[in-house]
Amino acid sequence: MAVTINADDCIACGVCVDECPQNALSLDGVCVVDEDACIDCGSCVDACPVEAISA
Ligand code: SF4
Ligand code: SF4
């Protein structure tokens, strides 16, 4: 499993990219997740200021 990014809500702030211990997140216009790298730790879900990431 991996987190889900709601691209309509993401403001591309980059906070989650810095929070991810797996370097599973990157910005490509909006945030995108590398589903193979994500370990579902939840750090990005809590860090996103606009709640664009769901577990
Ligand atoms: S849940 Fe954890 S490992 Fe997965 S993308 Fe978010 S911060 Fe990275
Ligand atoms: S923290 Fe939220 S708004 Fe910021 S880049 Fe990540 S998903 Fe987008």
Side-chain angles (χ1 to χ4, degrees):
M1 285 295 293
V3 293
T4 300
I5 314 291
N6 185 333
D8 290 332
D9 289 341
C10 176
I11 57 172
C13 69
V15 167
C16 60
V17 175
D18 293 333
E19 286 292 322
C20 181
Q22 293 291 110
N23 288 323
L25 299 170
S26 57
L27 290 179
D28 183 13
V30 294
C31 181
V32 290
V33 57
D34 179 341
E35 297 190 359
D36 292 326
C38 175
I39 58 171
D40 284 305
C41 72
S43 294
C44 60
V45 176
D46 294 334
C48 180
V50 295
E51 299 183 3
I53 309 175
S54 53

